């Protein structure tokens, strides 16, 4: 799935997961529900509630898992010196209950 950063949200069902690849500096925002964010090579996971966000700190894979029905938005980097992206490839983990449509 290809998402346009800043413009789309992704609806996730309970337990569904999306995988971001090489999303360093992308901001993951919890719009509704709750999400669990796991970054490859980092020890501490983060749980986000509505209105909270996390900037992806490393390249590699980042897993965003819904804790109940949730909505997520991905925002392009805004820090000085960061590269800019207009789209991001997202892998949806099909084995886990499927993610909803991007809106």
């Amino acid at each position: 799935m290809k998402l346009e950063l800043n413009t789309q949200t992704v609806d996730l069902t309970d337990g569904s997961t999306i995988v971001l690849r090489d999303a360093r500096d992308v901001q993951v925002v919890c719009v509704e529900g709750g999400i669990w964010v796991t970054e490859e090579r980092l020890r501490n996971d983060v749980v986000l509630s509505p209105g909270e966000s996390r900037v992806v700190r490393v390249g590699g894979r980042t897993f965003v898992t819904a804790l109940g029905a949730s909505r997520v938005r991905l925002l392009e980097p805004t820090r000085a010196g960061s590269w800019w992206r207009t789209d991001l490839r997202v892998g949806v983990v099909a084995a886990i209950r499927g993610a909803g449509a991007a809106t």
Side-chain angles (χ1 to χ4, degrees):
M1 172 189 316
K2 186 175 178 179
L3 294 177
E4 293 294 323
L5 296 181
N6 299 327
T7 60
Q8 293 180 313
T9 59
V10 178
D11 293 323
L12 300 171
T13 59
D14 183 28
S16 64
T17 297
I18 58 175
V19 180
L20 310 177
R21 290 182 177 83
D22 298 321
R24 185 170 184 238
D25 294 333
V26 168
Q27 185 176 11
V28 178
V29 180
C30 179
V31 177
E32 292 178 18
I35 56 173
W36 175 17
V37 181
T38 302
E39 293 183 59
E40 197 170 48
R41 297 188 306 272
L42 290 185
R43 287 183 157 202
N44 297 325
D45 295 349
V46 176
V47 174
L48 302 176
S49 297
E52 296 181 326
S53 66
R54 166 78 174 198
V55 174
V56 177
R57 297 178 357 195
V58 297
R61 294 179 298 174
T62 299
F63 300 88
V64 179
T65 302
L67 303 173
S70 301
R71 180 171 288 158
V72 176
R73 182 178 305 275
L74 303 172
L75 302 175
E76 63 189 334
T78 57
R79 294 194 302 241
S82 293
W83 39 263
W84 289 82
R85 299 173 75 155
T86 57
D87 67 292
L88 176 68
R89 288 227 173 260
V90 178
V92 178
V93 178
I96 300 174
R97 284 176 271 165
T103 57

